[in-house]
């Protein structure tokens, strides 16, 4: 009989052999995984009622411009909104507005501020956009603001013919880019330069044929980098990116069409001491949406990433390039596959690999792109990264237009890992968990506590990212068969530690379960048993840590499972639920898919398959096992067209069935219930693409006998994948083991229970919801179980008492509690300490680990003694000799999850 494991949103692990990531004694994780220097914890920040397009900073003040009319306190805070017409200034350290108020307006149309830049001397803020006045002072889409007085300068009034989208300022020059064709009445196409002193147009020229969107000075001030939509600069071929002389505008380095595709543009530029970095946006096919790093000396490419999802802004802080985008597919560079958008990313300036920094926004308003601009600022010894844009949420909470992050402190706890515990064979209890997620710490340290101890028995470090949360496994070998072991675990980033997981326990078994042992012995590289009672984690029992993730809320702990007497199954709804392996793997060549299923559906659906996407229907998909509406099973691969095997019989009869599909050098084979149903020796290959195993649903468009639903409406159990074809003998063996008669398991609830208290010797406690055990001063608890007679031809093979400690913080006890037979008479309603019954000196079993509140504990009982009571009542008492109290739930608690229970297992002699 399988000792079914348990599941919790927590990590469990124990002393013994480690399987998976990390190792004993690994160094603890740091608060931020280097080189990340900004936390992912969003700070309370005032917000706008519209879009923030531009930001700049000076001396602890962050200036924000855009298309909005008011600012208001952070979500959940009190206070009144304030007028802020397309501009606001904020204290970098508090996120609150300063007393600098400016109103950018226009007589006709909608005014907007699209660019902000501060002069090197910190005296002047330059603002560009589309507006006609600032605080009533006439201007023309470009204005200079005296920072000390927060007033527009009247001596700086260049006339710009259209929207200014980008600004950069040197000691004596303001460089601008945008949609314009004239500045100060002189022809200037998309880029221009004016004097800081009076706004007079300078002879500098870098004319482009399409709008300019980004202007950035080199750190030494000798060059100006231009970004935008253009294909030519000063008549020379240079698409979207160019470097020009800061004094003349002459081209220093052109980037001919092809370096950046024709369908892509540059939206932002930034530099550090050694590099130039681009933010790119594309539309249509063959786009480039990622980021490029160029060496500042040679202006040659250092690296580029090809993530899809237009990048709007880039900012360097402490050797890390932070970016705002709506990236949805970074698989081409080893990042996440096509999935939901991720709006904030980080990379080393020396390497395009994504770092462990993943705060997030939503798409928000306008074009629904999310972040639009970034800026860094320092105040009070702390550095801040500000982000503005179209978003209306940050890290899942309401926050519009603006947010900020800091260099510290890191205050976000890692998530508590989802965990499964089971004993799969003699000599061990195995703990498997989905690694935790921390948005600024990809490396986390897990500490394991066993049997309520406050000292961890093991520590291990592992890595995870939002789309890749590997299973970690650990086998505790310091166990004795028949004993119960309980585990609680925390995850830590070095500064923050998750709450301890709920205690979960398993009984160490004396022998392996035949079915599971055979699956593992035959080389399964994925083996999901679906015994977790809840959550989104599907633990892998193959030994390769190839776990799964449930999507769409499938029903958990469906009982009975496929294999008699063994565990539970997962139930899919036929609408949108499925389970995928989050481990990207190369295209399987030879393979076997195995699963048990049960359904009465008439709409068909996919039982198993291989697709290129995790969180949406795959655009590339094959290696399917699916059911037609008729109930026939179909196994198909794609090789220049679909190649399928179809059963003659139907299997939507509501019974459990076993299906195995193989492909290898002997072609395709489809087995059902241990027998070969169809084969094709000629089809030995399938479509070649990397992807993910999926069970319960994926796209089946245009496949033969396409079912009404892509998604399976039924239950799956004991799902496995192998790296080669199983033989007919192996398939037959699996089916035989999975259908072998099981032992008879009977659960008996207590018919009466009470406890007595030496401190209140005449008080009766029957009818209470808790029972108690203690040595001094004494508590004793009594339980009565009406036992059935053994089934015909069977004998009692095992008996186990189960109790659940109450939720009171002091419910657990460090003292062992013995289970002994009651030899005297007692009743639930009347027994007191003074009238307590006589007890036998025989100990039926001992609870050694009842130390944690709210935990289930099992006690194996002496089989012979229990056998003698079959067909009558078994009365037992729980006693102790120490001074620590054990409190556990009585039968009066509603439902059966917490009742004292006796589990009897009968089988052949």
């Amino acid at each position: 009989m399988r000792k079914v494991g348990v599941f919790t949103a927590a990590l469990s692990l124990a002393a013994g052999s480690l399987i998976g990531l990390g190792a004993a004694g690994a160094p603890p994780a740091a608060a931020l995984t280097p080189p990340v220097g900004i936390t992912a914890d969003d700070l309370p920040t005032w917000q706008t009622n519209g879009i923030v397009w531009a930001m700049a900073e000076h001396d602890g003040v962050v200036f924000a411009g855009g298309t909005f009319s008011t600012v208001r306190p952070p979500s959940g805070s009190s206070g009144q909104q304030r007028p802020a017409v397309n501009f606001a200034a904020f204290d970098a350290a508090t996120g609150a507005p300063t007393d600098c108020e400016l109103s950018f307006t226009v007589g006709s149309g909608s005014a907007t501020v699209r660019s902000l830049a501060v002069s090197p001397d910190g005296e002047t803020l330059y603002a560009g956009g589309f507006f006609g006045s600032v605080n009533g002072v006439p201007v023309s889409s470009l204005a200079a603001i005296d920072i000390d007085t927060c007033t527009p300068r009247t001596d700086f009034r260049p006339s710009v013919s259209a929207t200014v989208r980008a600004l950069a300022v040197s000691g004596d020059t303001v460089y601008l880019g945008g949609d314009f064709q004239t500045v100060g009445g002189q022809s200037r196409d998309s880029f221009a330069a004016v004097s800081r002193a009076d706004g007079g147009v300078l002879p500098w020229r870098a004319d482009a044929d399409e709008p300019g969107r980004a202007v950035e000075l080199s750190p030494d001030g000798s060059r100006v980098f231009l970004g935008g939509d253009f294909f030519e600069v000063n008549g020379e071929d240079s698409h979207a990116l160019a470097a020009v002389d800061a004094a003349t505008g002459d081209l220093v380095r052109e980037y001919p069409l092809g370096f950046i595709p024709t369908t892509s543009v540059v939206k932002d530029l930034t530099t550090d001491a050694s590099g130039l970095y681009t933010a790119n946006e594309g539309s249509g096919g063959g786009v480039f949406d990622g980021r490029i790093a160029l060496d500042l000396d040679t202006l040659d490419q250092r690296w580029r990433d090809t993530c899809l999802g237009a990048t709007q802004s880039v900012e360097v802080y402490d050797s890390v390039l932070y970016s705002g985008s709506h990236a949805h597919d970074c698989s081409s560079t080893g990042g996440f596959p096509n999935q939901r958008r991720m709006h904030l990313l980080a990379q080393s300036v020396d390497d395009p690999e994504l770092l462990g920094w993943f705060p997030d926004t939503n798409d928000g308003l306008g074009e629904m792109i999310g972040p639009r601009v970034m800026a860094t600022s320092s105040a009070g010894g702390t550095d801040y990264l500000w982000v503005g844009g179209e978003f209306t949420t940050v890290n899942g909470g309401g926050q519009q237009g603006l947010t900020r992050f800091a260099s510290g402190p890191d205050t976000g706890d890692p998530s508590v890992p989802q965990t499964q515990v089971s004993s799969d064979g003699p000599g061990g209890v195995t703990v498997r968990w989905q690694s935790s997620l921390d948005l600024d710490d990809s490396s986390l340290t897990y500490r394991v506590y066993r049997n309520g101890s406050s000292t961890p028995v093991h520590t291990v470090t592992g890595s995870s990212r939002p789309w890749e949360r590997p299973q970690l496994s650990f086998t505790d070998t310091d166990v004795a068969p028949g004993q119960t072991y309980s585990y609680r675990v925390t995850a830590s980033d070095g500064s923050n530690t998750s709450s301890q997981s709920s205690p979960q326990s398993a009984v160490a078994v004396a022998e392996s379960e035949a079915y599971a042992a055979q699956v593992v012995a035959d080389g399964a590289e994925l083996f999901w048993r679906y015994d977790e009672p809840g959550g989104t984690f599907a633990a892998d029992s193959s030994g390769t840590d190839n776990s799964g993730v449930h999507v769409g809320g499938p029903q958990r702990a469906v009982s009975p499972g496929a294999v008699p007497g063994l565990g539970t199954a997962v139930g899919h709804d036929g609408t949108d639920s499925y389970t995928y392996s989050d481990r990207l793997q190369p295209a399987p060549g030879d393979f076997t898919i195995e699963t048990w299923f049960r359904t009465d559906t008439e709409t068909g659906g996919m039982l198993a398959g291989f697709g290129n996407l995790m969180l949406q229907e795959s655009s590339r998909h094959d290696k399917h096992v699916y059911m037609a509406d008729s109930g026939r099973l179909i196994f198909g691969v794609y090789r220049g067209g679909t190649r399928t095997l179809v059963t003659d019989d139907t299997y939507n009869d509501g019974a459990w069935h076993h299906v195995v599909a193989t492909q290898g050098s002997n072609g395709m084979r489809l087995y059902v219930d241990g027998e070969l149903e169809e084969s094709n020796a000629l089809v030995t290959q399938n479509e070649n693409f990397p992807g993910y195993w999926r069970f319960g649903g994926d796209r089946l468009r245009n496949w033969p006998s396409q079912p009404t639903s892509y998604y399976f409406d039924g239950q799956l159990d004991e799902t496995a994948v192998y790296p080669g074809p199983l033989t007919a003998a192996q398939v037959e063996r699996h089916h035989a083991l999975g259908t072998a008669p099981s032992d008879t398991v009977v659960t008996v609830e207590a018919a009466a229970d009470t406890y007595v208290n030496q401190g209140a010797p005449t008080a009766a406690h029957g009818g209470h919801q808790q029972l108690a055990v203690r040595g001094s001063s004494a508590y004793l608890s009594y339980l009565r179980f009406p036992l059935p007679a053994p089934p015909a031809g069977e004998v009692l093979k095992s008996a186990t008492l189960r109790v659940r400690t109450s939720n009171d913080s002091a419910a657990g006890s460090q003292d062992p509690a013995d289970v002994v037979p009651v030899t005297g008479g007692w009743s639930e309603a009347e027994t007191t300490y003074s009238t307590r019954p006589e007890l036998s000196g025989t100990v039926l079993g001992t609870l050694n680990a009842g130390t944690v509140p709210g935990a289930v504990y099992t006690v194996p009982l002496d089989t012979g003694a229990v056998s003698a009571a079959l067909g009558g009542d078994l009365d037992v008492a729980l006693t102790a000799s120490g001074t620590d109290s054990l409190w556990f739930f009585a039968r009066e608690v509603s439902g059966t999850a917490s009742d004292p229970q006796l589990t009897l297992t009968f089988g052949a002699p």
Side-chain angles (χ1 to χ4, degrees), residues 524-617:
E525 62 182 8
L526 178 157
F527 185 23
W528 300 342
R529 313 206 66 188
Y530 305 121
D531 290 337
E532 308 86 5
T536 61
F537 174 53
D540 173 41
S541 298
S542 73
T544 69
D545 289 328
N546 194 358
S547 59
V549 178
H550 296 297
V551 177
Q555 184 181 2
R556 309 307 314 282
V558 177
S559 184
V563 181
L566 302 183
T568 60
V570 63
H572 291 292
D573 60 9
T575 302
D576 61 2
S577 74
Y578 62 95
T579 308
Y580 69 87
S581 168
D582 69 353
R583 178 183 294 178
L584 179 69
Q585 62 183 61
D590 298 352
F591 66 90
T592 294
I593 302 169
E594 176 180 39
T595 194
W596 296 72
F597 69 93
R598 179 176 62 179
T599 185
D600 57 7
T601 184
E602 295 182 354
T603 59
M606 193 194 84
L607 282 71
F610 189 79
N612 66 326
L613 301 179
M614 297 186 298
L615 296 176
Q616 53 189 299
E617 289 177 359

Side-chain angles (χ1 to χ4, degrees), residues 830-844:
E830 297 179 358
T831 296
T832 68
Y833 186 82
S834 297
T835 62
R836 66 190 185 278
E838 294 290 329
L839 304 180
S840 168
T842 301
V843 177
L844 301 182

Side-chain angles (χ1 to χ4, degrees), residues 389-414:
E390 300 174 331
F391 51 84
T392 57
T393 68
V394 177
N395 287 342
Q399 179 70 19
Q400 183 171 350
L402 281 170
T403 190
R404 63 197 173 102
F405 307 93
S407 57
D410 179 13
T411 60
D413 292 345

Side-chain angles (χ1 to χ4, degrees), residues 880-891:
S881 58
T883 58
D884 197 2
S885 303
L886 175 72
W887 290 88
F888 59 98
F889 286 117
R891 71 185 186 94

Side-chain angles (χ1 to χ4, degrees), residues 33-44:
T33 302
V36 170
I38 297 290
T39 80
D41 307 321
D42 55 298
L43 301 174

Side-chain angles (χ1 to χ4, degrees), residues 214-416:
V215 181
E216 180 77 8
L217 275 164
S218 63
D220 64 4
S222 67
R223 292 165 291 178
V224 180
F225 303 113
L226 310 177
D229 302 1
F230 51 84
F231 293 86
E232 293 183 355
V233 176
N234 289 339
E236 298 290 334
D237 179 13
S238 194
H239 173 52
L241 178 66
V244 300
D245 186 90
T248 65
D250 294 339
L251 268 169
V252 174
R253 175 69 179 267
E254 70 276 6
Y255 295 89
L257 184 63
F259 183 77
I260 295 175
T262 184
T263 52
S264 299
V265 302
V266 169
K267 298 296 292 288
D268 191 24
L269 296 167
T270 195
T271 61
D272 63 6
S274 65
L276 168 68
Y277 309 93
T278 73
N280 300 273
E281 175 185 83
S283 60
V287 302
F288 172 55
D289 277 342
R291 294 152 288 278
I292 303 173
L294 300 105
D295 184 85
L296 207 55
D297 291 331
T298 65
L299 297 183
D300 293 333
Q301 178 177 298
R302 180 189 297 161
W303 57 256
R304 76 167 63 197
D305 75 67
T306 51
C307 291
L308 295 177
T311 307
Q312 303 297 312
S313 182
V314 285
E315 184 78 6
V316 175
Y317 171 78
D318 196 18
S319 78
V320 172
L321 180 69
Y322 296 88
S323 59
S325 69
H326 61 272
H328 57 87
D329 186 352
C330 289
S331 58
S332 62
T333 54
F336 50 86
N338 197 9
Q339 57 163 35
R340 67 175 181 82
R341 293 176 169 185
M342 302 180 70
H343 298 85
L344 296 170
L345 303 175
Q347 297 156 291
S348 167
V349 295
D350 298 316
D351 190 327
E353 181 180 358
L354 295 179
L355 300 173
W357 188 78
F358 299 103
D360 203 12
T361 73
N362 65 350
D363 292 339
L365 309 170
E367 297 178 46
M368 301 183 67
I369 286 179
R372 287 286 191 174
V373 63
M374 292 177 156
T376 55
S377 182
S378 298
T382 299
D383 298 329
Y384 296 91
L385 175 66
W386 282 67
V387 180
E390 300 174 331
F391 51 84
T392 57
T393 68
V394 177
N395 287 342
Q399 179 70 19
Q400 183 171 350
L402 281 170
T403 190
R404 63 197 173 102
F405 307 93
S407 57
D410 179 13
T411 60
D413 292 345
S415 65
V416 184

